[in-house]
Every structure is written in structure tokens, then in C-alpha cells.
Amino acid sequence: MKRKILYAGLSVVMVLAGCGKEKGRQMPPTVVSAVAAAIQPQPLSLMAVGMVEPIETVTVRPQAGGVITGVHFAEGQEVRTGQRLFTIDPRPYQAALHAALAQQARDSSQAVYTAMQAQRYAELSAKDFVTREQFEQARTQAEMLKAALQVDQAAVEQARLNLGYTKVTAPIFGRTGALLVKRGNVVSANGPGLVVINQMSPIRVSFTIPGTDLPRVQYWAAQGKLKVHVNPARDGGEAGQLEGQLSFLDNTVDSGTGTVTLKAEFANAEEKLWPGQFVDVELVLTIETEALTVPANAVVTGQNGTFVYVVTAENRAEKRAVKVNRTLGELIVLDDGIKAGEMVVTDGQVKLVPGAAVSVKGGRPDTGRPQ
């Protein structure tokens, strides 16, 4: 019995000694990554998805009927204004022009003769060698031939115009699409299109914004031209951003969608924008010169809203509620919650609790933390 009591006493002593050691041991600090919140210029923008559209697009149609005897461009080729695209068999129109010229020549000879006759009859009528009625007939005949010459001239001009229509030219500068007819096909005047030409440079991007943002756009547009950025590669790839200017603001908010349509114009000298293409659009309203920014991965969304962990001067984790203004790629602009220069945790938040000891990877830099 005494031996059992002795063993129990020794056990209690050992447990108490172990507890003392645990109490004296301190938990190691949690290693985290952190950066300083910064004040820097950032755009105040509206984001949207837009579609590229040509400023001018033309479906080239034949104005004369006949067989297409020549195609003078390649599909997808860039063409200049006035460049010949197609040739329609001109022979019927050349024959029509020759006939009109022959008719004009015949009537011209007759007109000269009747004019001389009218002059001669006028002189004879003055001497009473012919009756007044004969003179009037001669003069009427001369006037009729004179009018016929005007009709002939119009017919010649129309024949020349029709012959000119056999040379189908590009009405605008742009890029051609697929051929809609091939050489040897018969086309009719004002019939189906031959090819579609889209103007590529400059070009427009059409996009919509919520009607609730319209007052802001109107306000900043009144201050000057608004810049618009688009990214042809929607994944932010190698194409990079292109810059243009807002050129159109619709006069109506769509009652069905509650949105308003805007258009921006881009030089597109390298033709990175293509009609029908969808692009990410950033409408820059202004540049906020003193925006408080932190990396996007520093902001955590919890049950009670968004927050960050701040590394205090004592290397402790302090949980701070923050108000997010907007997200700009890998940066977030904050309205309040922290101050510039304070260190915010960007990696390792899941291991933290308020007040936990932390160690910043690479050491804590001199952040110029305000007093």
C-alpha cells in the first residue's frame, strides 16, 4: 500500500514538471509574405465587353448585267478606293454605245440640213416666194431634229455609263471578304452582292454600360475626350492593350436592358481589331492620383465582409475590416481600413488568428510607416 502511494506521488511530480516545461515553451511565429500598402495613381474606369465593328462596310453589287470575265483581287486582300475588282463582259455595252453614237451622227447631219432649210425658208417667206405655212413646217422640222440631238446625247452618255459599269471598282478603302461569285457566273444589274468590303482603319468598338453609370460618363466626358482601352486577346495575352477615344454616346437608355450604348474609335493601324471580334473594354473616366492600393491577394472575404491582416510594429497579426473601392487586375483600391505604408499579409492568412506572432519572409523592409 505504501509502495502504491509512493508511485502516485512520483507521477504527480513528473506531470507537474512537464506542465512547467510546456508553459515555458513559446509557439514559433507564423511565416507570411507581406507588402506595404501604397498610394499611387490609378484609373477610375468602367469595365465592359465590346464588339468590334467597321465604320464603313459595303456590299459591292453589279450595276450592269452580264458574264463576269475577270476577278482582279484575292479574297481577304486590302483594296484601295477605285481599284478594279471585277470585269463584266463589255461587248454588249460597247455595241450599244456604237449604236447610240451612230444615231447621234445621223441626227446631227439631218439637224444641220433642216436648220439650213429653215433659214432658207425664212428668207423666201420674207419675199413671199413661199407660204408662211411652208416656213413654219421647215422651222418645226429643224426644232424637232435639234431636240432629237439632245435625246441622242443622253443616250450616248447612258451607253458610256453602262459600259463603265462593266468595270466594278472598290467604293471604299478596306479589306475584302470571301468571293460571293466566281468568274464565269452571270450577274444581273442590282442583283446579289459580289463581295463585302470592311473598313479596317480606323475602326470602332461598340459596348454598353448600365444606365446608372450614365451621369458619371456625361460628367467626365464634359471635361474632355475620354480614353478607352481594349485588349484584343481577352486573356490579356501578347496582343496587349490598344488605346482609343470615346466617339459616340447613344441618346437613349434601352428600356429592356437598362443599358446605354457607347462607341470608341481606334486607329487600328496594325489591324489587331477585327470586325465581329469581342474585346474587353476599359472606359477611363479619370486618373485618381492618390489611390490607396494593396495586392488583390491581400484582401480576404469573410462572413462579415472583406478584411486584411496587418503586420504591426510588434510583428503581430491584426485583423482589419476594409472597404473595397474597385479591382484593377492584380491590385485592389481601398477606401478605408488601413493607411499607406502599413504591411498587409499577401500569403499565409489561413494560418493566422488576430494577435498571432508573425515573421515576414525576407525580413520586414523599411516602409516609412507614419508615426
Side-chain angles (χ1 to χ4, degrees):
M1 185 67 178
K2 290 181 179 180
R3 186 176 295 175
K4 289 182 179 180
I5 294 173
L6 179 61
Y7 287 157
L10 290 173
S11 299
V12 171
V13 171
M14 292 174 65
V15 169
L16 290 174
C19 291
K21 290 180 181 179
E22 287 294 331
K23 187 174 181 180
R25 185 186 304 164
Q26 294 182 352
M27 295 294 291
T30 303
V31 179
V32 298
S33 298
V35 298
I39 294 289
Q40 54 185 315
Q42 291 295 332
L44 176 61
S45 308
L46 296 177
M47 310 303 293
V49 175
M51 188 176 74
V52 182
E53 60 182 36
I55 295 177
E56 287 188 321
T57 182
V58 175
T59 299
V60 179
R61 300 181 187 277
Q63 293 179 277
V67 178
I68 292 190
T69 58
V71 178
H72 308 288
F73 68 100
E75 292 178 304
Q77 176 185 335
E78 189 175 76
V79 294
R80 305 178 305 276
T81 303
Q83 179 178 334
R84 187 187 295 196
L85 304 178
F86 301 90
T87 297
I88 298 172
D89 187 1
R91 291 173 297 177
Y93 300 97
Q94 288 172 341
L97 175 59
H98 293 157
L101 288 171
Q103 179 69 34
Q104 184 184 43
R106 187 185 68 178
D107 289 345
S108 178
S109 297
Q110 291 182 347
V112 171
Y113 174 74
T114 55
M116 292 173 60
Q117 283 289 87
Q119 180 62 33
R120 189 165 66 87
Y121 270 73
E123 295 173 356
L124 293 174
S125 177
K127 298 177 181 179
D128 292 329
F129 291 155
V130 296
T131 64
R132 184 72 179 177
E133 182 180 358
Q134 290 175 313
F135 164 65
E136 291 295 340
Q137 288 177 348
R139 189 178 66 173
T140 301
Q141 187 68 20
E143 292 294 331
M144 289 175 60
L145 266 296
K146 185 178 179 181
L149 274 180
Q150 294 178 340
V151 173
D152 292 341
Q153 181 61 35
V156 168
E157 291 175 1
Q158 184 63 56
R160 283 203 176 101
L161 189 61
N162 291 339
L163 180 59
Y165 287 153
T166 63
K167 299 176 182 178
V168 182
T169 59
I172 63 171
F173 179 90
R175 188 169 294 278
T176 59
L179 272 171
L180 303 180
V181 295
K182 308 293 185 182
R183 189 172 62 177
N185 289 163
V186 178
V187 296
S188 58
N190 301 314
L194 306 177
V195 69
V196 176
I197 302 176
N198 285 328
Q199 180 181 329
M200 301 295 293
S201 177
I203 205 166
R204 287 193 183 126
V205 173
S206 175
F207 60 99
T208 60
I209 61 169
T212 52
D213 288 326
L214 180 59
R216 285 202 296 169
V217 174
Q218 291 174 319
Y219 172 79
W220 290 111
Q223 313 304 312
K225 287 285 187 179
L226 298 185
K227 293 182 180 179
V228 180
H229 297 148
V230 299
N231 198 327
R234 298 192 63 195
D235 59 355
E238 297 179 356
Q241 281 193 339
L242 301 177
E243 183 177 297
Q245 287 189 337
L246 187 68
S247 60
F248 171 76
L249 175 62
D250 204 355
N251 60 0
T252 302
V253 176
D254 190 305
S255 59
T257 62
T259 60
V260 60
T261 299
L262 293 82
K263 295 182 181 182
E265 189 169 310
F266 296 81
N268 202 34
E270 298 179 1
E271 295 190 359
K272 292 183 178 180
L273 296 177
W274 216 253
Q277 181 181 19
F278 287 97
V279 292
D280 291 324
V281 179
E282 178 189 14
L283 172 61
V284 182
L285 301 179
T286 187
I287 301 297
E288 188 178 352
T289 57
E290 296 186 352
L292 177 62
T293 62
V294 296
N297 55 2
V299 179
V300 181
T301 302
Q303 293 181 345
N304 298 321
T306 53
F307 65 90
V308 298
Y309 276 109
V310 174
V311 180
T312 67
E314 295 76 26
N315 288 326
R316 295 282 176 180
E318 181 179 328
K319 186 177 180 180
R320 299 266 192 92
V322 293
K323 184 178 180 181
V324 175
N325 180 289
R326 61 190 184 276
T327 301
L328 301 172
E330 297 181 353
L331 287 179
I332 285 182
V333 178
L334 299 178
D335 282 337
D336 55 33
I338 62 173
K339 296 179 181 179
E342 290 188 305
M343 299 290 292
V344 293
V345 177
T346 58
D347 183 42
Q349 297 98 319
V350 294
K351 300 179 289 186
L352 295 179
V353 294
V358 296
S359 174
V360 178
K361 289 181 182 178
R364 184 189 183 106
D366 182 10
T367 62
R369 190 171 180 271
Q371 302 295 324

